[in-house]
Amino acid sequence: GRRFLSNEYHAGKERRCHVRAGELRHVPGIFTVGYVVEEMTPPKKIDPVRAQERGVAPGKKYNALKNGFSVMNDDGTEEVFPEEVVVEGRHEDRPRKLVVLGDNCGISKGMKELSIGADVLVNEVTLSGGRREEAIQKGHSTAR
């Protein structure tokens, strides 16, 4: 079958991340953007022992439970709820977020909002920290 890139829209379940862009501040007349790369939320996990105890064998019903829907057990006699068999996520199960900013002297409100919760922030700087005023006049950042 066709192989998809990790961010390709049509990748479906194979999609591993999404990329968003936000406007940065530079000198008037020059448009620059920063990027946020965020992993997709990892799928929830089913505790197979608890699911088997509730009468649900591995299969299509697992997907419904992972997505928050109750199902009937395999013999159709009892309703099984997600909270009975879904394993609570750990901190490691949350999506990671990377923010990359370049050629800027500040970020827009939108870019700031996109960046909230970033695990890693990369900001390209042009001038040393003691040259802040010069950097801003030229639309750049400093190390401070």
Side-chain angles (χ1 to χ4, degrees):
R2 180 171 175 235
R3 297 208 43 112
F4 293 99
L5 299 174
S6 62
N7 191 43
E8 192 168 338
Y9 176 75
H10 298 290
K13 290 181 182 178
E14 298 300 313
R15 186 173 180 186
R16 299 288 181 239
C17 67
H18 54 264
V19 179
R20 295 185 174 122
E23 187 174 356
L24 302 175
R25 287 196 325 253
H26 195 45
V27 294
I30 297 180
F31 181 76
T32 59
V33 296
Y35 298 95
V36 176
V37 181
E38 189 169 12
E39 292 177 316
M40 303 301 283
T41 301
K44 294 180 181 175
K45 295 178 176 71
I46 298 288
D47 180 332
V49 173
R50 284 196 278 179
Q52 192 67 43
E53 288 171 354
R54 296 292 290 125
V56 180
K60 291 182 179 182
K61 291 180 181 179
Y62 271 30
N63 286 331
L65 289 162
K66 287 179 184 181
N67 287 300
F69 297 99
S70 61
V71 298
M72 294 303 289
N73 65 1
D74 292 342
D75 63 12
T77 57
E78 290 185 53
E79 188 172 9
V80 179
F81 297 93
E83 55 271 14
E84 297 176 299
V85 295
V86 172
V87 178
E88 288 298 318
R90 301 174 315 222
H91 176 71
E92 300 86 44
D93 293 335
R94 72 173 181 78
R96 295 173 294 180
K97 184 187 279 192
L98 166 70
V99 177
V100 180
L101 310 173
D103 208 11
N104 75 88
C105 63
I107 63 174
S108 67
K109 182 180 178 186
M111 187 69 217
K112 182 179 179 180
E113 290 174 7
L114 286 174
S115 300
I116 292 172
D119 295 289
V120 177
L121 169 67
V122 178
N123 185 38
E124 172 267 336
V125 298
T126 305
L127 300 171
S128 63
R131 300 170 66 188
R132 186 173 186 276
E133 290 303 316
E134 178 185 358
I136 290 172
Q137 288 174 351
K138 293 179 178 181
H140 297 296
S141 300
T142 68
R144 288 190 187 166

